[in-house]
Amino acid sequence: MKHIHLIKSLALLILIMLVGGCARYARSVNMLYDPAAVSQQGSGDLYVVIPENQLTPSAQVKWVLGTVTDDENKKIDELFSPRSPAELAQSALSQELKRTGYTVLPTAKRPEAHTKLIDISKVDISLNQLSDFADLKATCRVLIALDVYKNGKLIRKLEYQSLSSKTDIKDRELLARVVLQEALQSVMTKALPDVVQLLER
């Protein structure tokens, strides 16, 4: 009897550990972007503009990027960001362009006079997590539309998208941040050579 009781106790303990483990997932993502694109060199001032309604008005405001679901596809939580999708894209693009050689001027108000300007006209970030007993899966889709201006004139409309997905058992709280960064890096790797070529030709 003691042996059976011990086995039951161990089984209950393992179940509790598994249930506790599946609850570990990120509820908030605040990513420090790491530039990854390689491009030809640019120069001069370059404005990177996002819509004013995409500026985070206060630290209390949180932007919903996606949902957390269980293994039965039921929503159990939401995933938040302290910055808007447009701010995340603006930060990533600005860092990439700075590394290329531009003096980047991020703003939400388009200047009356400018030589080089990129208007981030659309950003769609969908970051979702599937929390299961055994592991956690995070999937991120990023779509970014850019309007490239030179000497006050629109010279090209561009659009890029990317998808990143990973499954992990450990480091669950970091998984969402990793797939978001990978998706953004993939978009920037595609976009940067086109943008620089258009601005410098």
Side-chain angles (χ1 to χ4, degrees), residues 13-194:
L13 180 62
I14 291 169
L15 181 61
I16 291 170
M17 289 174 65
L18 285 172
V19 171
C22 76
R24 293 195 308 270
Y25 53 79
R27 294 194 73 245
S28 180
V29 177
N30 190 10
M31 184 192 61
L32 296 173
Y33 182 79
D34 184 22
V38 177
S39 180
Q40 63 194 71
Q41 293 298 302
S43 62
D45 292 345
L46 174 57
Y47 291 90
V48 179
V49 186
I50 59 172
E52 285 191 66
N53 64 6
Q54 290 293 299
L55 286 176
T56 303
S58 72
Q60 283 69 45
V61 173
K62 303 297 180 187
W63 302 81
V64 178
L65 296 184
T67 60
V68 184
T69 55
D70 62 17
D71 54 354
E72 295 179 350
N73 205 32
K74 292 179 182 177
K75 178 181 172 181
I76 57 176
D77 214 335
E78 289 181 316
L79 186 62
F80 301 92
S81 168
R83 293 185 289 172
S84 72
E87 287 173 317
L88 291 170
Q90 184 185 47
S91 175
L93 183 59
S94 296
Q95 289 183 61
E96 296 284 6
L97 290 164
K98 282 178 184 176
R99 197 170 74 158
T100 302
Y102 291 104
T103 301
V104 180
L105 305 164
T107 181
K109 291 185 178 180
R110 185 180 297 184
E112 293 182 5
H114 56 81
T115 303
K116 299 171 183 177
L117 183 144
I118 298 171
D119 188 353
I120 302 178
S121 57
K122 180 181 179 181
V123 179
D124 183 16
I125 295 177
S126 177
L127 180 55
N128 299 296
Q129 298 179 101
L130 172 61
S131 183
D132 201 344
F133 280 109
D135 53 37
L136 179 73
K137 180 179 181 180
T139 303
C140 183
R141 185 182 67 85
V142 173
L143 184 147
I144 296 176
L146 308 173
D147 297 341
V148 182
Y149 289 81
K150 191 173 181 181
N151 298 320
K153 294 182 179 180
L154 175 64
I155 55 176
R156 188 73 56 87
K157 288 180 173 287
L158 304 169
E159 187 173 291
Y160 304 91
Q161 61 180 321
S162 182
L163 180 70
S164 177
S165 181
K166 279 185 178 296
T167 301
D168 203 350
I169 298 174
K170 55 185 180 179
D171 297 330
R172 293 180 171 208
E173 293 187 2
L174 299 176
L175 191 59
R177 186 190 305 176
V178 169
V179 295
L180 173 57
Q181 169 145 289
E182 286 187 355
L184 274 172
Q185 286 175 332
S186 178
V187 165
M188 296 302 156
T189 300
K190 298 171 187 175
L192 206 68
D194 295 342

